[in-house]
């Protein structure tokens, strides 16, 4: 089998093809957009890519043609020799990846489905809009503090109205910020309507939304992050993937358990924490909320919320796996598979 390494670039990419005995048979630059046609002309090969913006689209093209694909994590390529001795060029990078592939079967990250990538992009773009609105709101609040002025409490969507009522003599640059907040709010609400429509039509999302605290945004982001549930052997494996399990810093006879690892998708972890707050506020009598209150009494609020977020991830895993809806009474059974609903996962 040939080993075809590609150092991807936005416009041009460098390829290095080797035979199984590591002999180089072709090296050249090629337009990135022309890579699918290039793969079509190649015999069955192992295609090695580094993670990047274009990696998954190129991986899809290679997989569709029957090639083996390895998308190597960017955190791993340095240890393979990319950029060794302070010398890093596209040609050398492609040579290193193809040479290492001849010696070992390189590990690959999960290549997400088209749906997963599209939903992740939607979630990311909405998050960018919310972040832009937050920054704009903060500039207005900062201007008001400079004038020793405060407005009544309320939602972000009503802030422009409250500022206009409080400061009728506001300058034009502040008014432009208020208009930007209003426009961003309209766009965010349009995104939320799209999320609600998608989640209602998707059976997995529809079932996940039966879990307390889980709405369309959390459900869609969860499905996009997990993509293929078969990748995870248990709820704990998924919780670890999202970064909601404790870390460990042990050596010799010293054993030290640290705070959560915070590995994986930051957005998904943050959304699960927000879902935990919502569940605790809106469903205080639910068994998992009562369990979280017990943790709160012993460990404090922050630890309890993170623990509840981890539990939510495990519950959502089971709802998806079993093609069922959330049932708070399931934790009362003696089944070892179902005890996670009430007990700490």
């Amino acid at each position: 089998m040939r080993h075809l390494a590609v150092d991807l670039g936005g416009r041009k990419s460098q390829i290095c093809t080797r035979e199984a005995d590591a002999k180089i048979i072709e090296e050249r630059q090629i337009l990135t957009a022309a890579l699918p046609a290039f793969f079509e002309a190649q015999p069955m090969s192992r295609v090695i890519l580094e993670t990047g913006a274009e990696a998954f689209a190129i991986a899809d093209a290679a997989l569709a043609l029957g090639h083996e694909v390895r998308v190597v994590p960017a955190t791993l390529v340095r240890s393979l020799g990319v950029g060794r001795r302070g010398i890093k060029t596209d040609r050398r990078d492609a040579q290193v990846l193809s040479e290492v592939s001849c010696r070992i079967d390189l590990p690959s990250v999960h290549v997400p489905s088209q749906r997963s990538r599209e939903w992740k992009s939607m979630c990311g773009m909405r998050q960018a809009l919310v972040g832009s609105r937050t920054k704009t709101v903060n500039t207005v609040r900062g201007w008001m503090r400079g004038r020793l002025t405060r407005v009544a409490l309320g939602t972000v969507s009503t802030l422009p109205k409250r500022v206009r009522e409080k400061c009728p003599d506001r300058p034009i640059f502040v008014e432009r910020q208020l208009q930007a907040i209003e426009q961003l709010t309209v766009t965010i609400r349009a995104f939320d309507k799209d999320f609600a429509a998608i989640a209602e039509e998707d059976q997995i999302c529809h079932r996940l939304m039966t879990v307390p605290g889980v709405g369309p945004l959390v459900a869609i982001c969860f499905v996009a992050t997990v993509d293929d549930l078969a990748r995870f052997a248990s709820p704990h494996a998924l919780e670890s993937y999202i970064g909601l399990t404790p870390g460990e810093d042990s050596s010799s006879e010293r054993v030290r358990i640290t705070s959560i690892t915070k590995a994986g998708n930051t957005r998904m972890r943050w959304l699960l924490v927000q879902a935990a707050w919502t569940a605790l506020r809106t469903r205080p009598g639910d068994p998992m909320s009562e369990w979280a209150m017990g943790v709160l009494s012993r460990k404090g609020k922050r630890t309890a919320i993170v623990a509840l977020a981890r539990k939510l991830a495990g519950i959502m895993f089971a709802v998806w796996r079993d093609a069922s809806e959330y049932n708070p009474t399931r934790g009362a059974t003696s089944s070892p598979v179902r005890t996670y609903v009430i007990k700490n996962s």
Side-chain angles (χ1 to χ4, degrees), residues 33-299:
L35 282 172
F38 171 76
F39 292 149
E40 192 171 0
Q42 302 301 308
M44 291 301 100
S45 306
R46 177 176 294 165
V47 178
I48 307 97
L49 311 166
E50 183 182 348
T51 51
E54 302 87 358
F56 294 134
I58 298 301
D60 281 347
L63 287 168
L65 294 168
H67 296 289
E68 288 187 16
V69 175
R70 301 290 186 272
V71 182
V72 184
T75 53
L76 177 62
V77 294
R78 286 285 181 182
S79 64
L80 298 178
V82 171
R84 182 171 45 212
R85 303 180 67 85
I87 301 175
K88 186 180 186 304
T89 66
D90 293 347
R91 183 183 178 188
R92 287 173 65 94
D93 292 353
Q95 287 177 346
V96 168
L97 289 176
S98 61
E99 190 273 330
V100 173
S101 179
C102 291
R103 291 188 283 110
I104 63 173
D105 187 1
L106 285 168
S108 176
V109 301
H110 170 65
V111 179
S113 65
Q114 183 63 38
R115 181 187 69 170
S116 173
R117 297 205 294 270
E118 183 176 346
W119 285 6
K120 282 181 181 177
S121 296
M122 288 179 61
C123 294
M125 290 180 183
R126 182 191 181 279
Q127 184 181 27
L129 289 171
V130 172
S132 297
R133 185 177 65 175
T134 300
K135 291 179 181 178
T136 308
V137 166
N138 288 341
T139 63
V140 175
R141 292 190 184 279
W143 173 79
M144 296 190 69
R145 290 180 63 182
R147 291 172 50 118
L148 304 180
T149 305
R150 298 178 68 89
V151 294
L153 296 177
T155 63
V156 173
S157 60
T158 63
L159 178 67
K161 179 181 178 181
R162 287 180 281 125
V163 172
R164 290 179 179 122
E165 291 174 349
K166 188 73 174 181
C167 306
D169 59 338
R170 62 195 174 278
I172 185 62
F173 62 82
V174 174
E175 176 59 27
R176 291 194 182 106
Q177 293 292 82
L178 298 179
Q179 292 173 4
I181 293 170
E182 290 174 328
Q183 184 56 54
L184 286 168
T185 299
V186 170
T187 308
I188 291 168
R189 285 176 175 171
F191 260 94
D192 291 341
K193 289 181 180 179
D194 293 339
F195 280 118
I198 293 171
E200 187 64 29
E201 292 179 0
D202 187 83
Q203 293 184 1
I204 297 174
C205 291
H206 189 75
R207 289 193 292 267
L208 291 177
M209 288 191 297
T210 64
V211 179
V214 177
L217 178 59
V218 177
I220 287 174
C221 191
F222 185 81
V223 173
T225 301
V226 175
D227 193 24
D228 180 10
L229 195 67
R231 296 196 292 141
F232 304 98
S234 65
H236 185 76
L238 174 58
E239 294 157 8
S240 176
Y241 176 75
I242 298 174
L244 284 169
T245 53
E248 184 174 354
D249 181 17
S250 301
S251 178
S252 187
E253 297 179 358
R254 175 177 62 85
V255 177
R256 177 171 173 261
I257 303 301
T258 65
S259 58
I260 59 172
T261 62
K262 295 186 179 180
N265 190 306
T266 302
R267 184 190 307 123
M268 186 70 256
R269 189 166 55 252
W270 182 85
L271 285 173
L272 285 170
V273 169
Q274 298 307 306
W277 280 111
T278 301
L280 202 61
R281 184 178 64 252
T282 61
R283 298 280 289 275
D286 191 274
M288 69 174 181
S289 295
E290 293 177 348
W291 171 85
M293 291 304 296
V295 176
L296 187 150
S297 65
R298 301 190 306 272
K299 299 290 187 178

